[in-house]
């Protein structure tokens, strides 16, 4: 193992860092906030539902008391998907909101309140990750 490590180090070129070593991600704040919501959706919903939901971050309001308000809009293609997202009497969406609030609070080290709007939008273009 030592021999392998020595070989790899001998082949490496000395260079300056492209990114400061303290930077953990090159994602924008918008991308991070959307990614936290997407992760929560994938953890809370099953089968094809997470793949049918589009996530848009629509608001970011720092309040004078130190709290942060974050607004999301979830785009769904059908009423049935909207019902699944909301759950009976809003129970599932409430759990989703609480999870996202906890994750954002941990990330930003401050209290966060999340507002989620679920919108029926049949022609919403979801990102495509598969090249054809």
């Amino acid at each position: 193992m030592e021999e392998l490590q020595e070989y790899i180090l001998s082949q490496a070129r000395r260079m300056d860092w492209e990114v400061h070593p303290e930077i953990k991600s090159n994602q924008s704040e918008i991308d991070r906030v959307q990614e936290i919501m997407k992760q929560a959706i994938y953890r809370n919903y099953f089968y094809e539902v997470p793949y049918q939901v589009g996530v848009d971050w629509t608001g970011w309001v720092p309040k004078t008391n130190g709290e942060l308000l974050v607004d999301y809009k979830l785009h769904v293609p059908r009423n049935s998907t909207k019902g699944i997202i909301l759950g009976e009497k809003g129970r599932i969406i409430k759990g989703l909101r609480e999870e996202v609030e906890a994750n954002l609070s941990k990330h930003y080290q401050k209290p966060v309140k999340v507002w989620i709007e679920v919108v029926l939008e049949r022609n919403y273009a979801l990102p495509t990750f598969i090249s054809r």
Side-chain angles (χ1 to χ4, degrees):
M1 193 61 150
E2 255 182 64
E3 191 176 314
L4 176 61
Q5 185 177 8
E6 286 175 20
Y7 172 76
I8 291 172
L9 288 173
S10 72
Q11 298 300 308
R13 295 185 322 199
R14 284 251 176 235
M15 301 175 70
D16 290 334
W17 286 87
E18 288 183 29
V19 179
H20 192 279
E22 296 296 316
I23 294 176
K24 305 283 188 235
S25 172
N26 62 355
Q27 281 185 317
S28 70
E29 288 303 311
I30 293 171
D31 290 339
R32 284 186 208 172
V33 167
Q34 285 183 301
E35 193 62 33
I36 287 171
M37 174 60 84
K38 288 177 188 174
Q39 288 173 356
I41 289 170
Y42 279 98
R43 274 194 298 271
N44 286 281
Y45 300 98
F46 305 101
Y47 305 111
E48 75 278 354
V49 172
Y51 302 99
Q52 295 176 359
V53 179
V55 176
D56 281 335
W57 162 78
T58 57
W60 177 282
V61 181
K63 298 189 74 179
T64 56
N65 64 359
E67 190 175 66
L68 180 63
L69 297 177
V70 180
D71 299 334
Y72 289 98
K73 189 178 280 190
L74 303 183
H75 303 271
V76 296
R78 292 186 291 281
N79 271 326
S80 59
T81 307
K82 185 175 181 178
I84 292 169
I85 294 293
L86 295 174
E88 185 180 349
K89 297 182 182 178
R91 288 187 189 125
I92 296 176
I93 194 87
K94 181 183 177 190
L96 179 71
R97 179 183 51 83
E98 290 169 353
E99 180 178 334
V100 172
E101 284 176 346
N103 289 338
L104 288 172
S105 293
K106 182 178 177 185
H107 181 75
Y108 290 107
Q109 298 296 304
K110 62 172 72 177
V112 177
K113 291 291 180 197
V114 170
W115 297 95
I116 303 171
E117 180 183 5
V118 181
V119 184
L120 179 64
E121 200 166 329
R122 297 183 196 286
N123 297 323
Y124 183 77
L126 292 171
T128 305
F129 299 105
I130 302 171
S131 59
R132 294 176 189 206

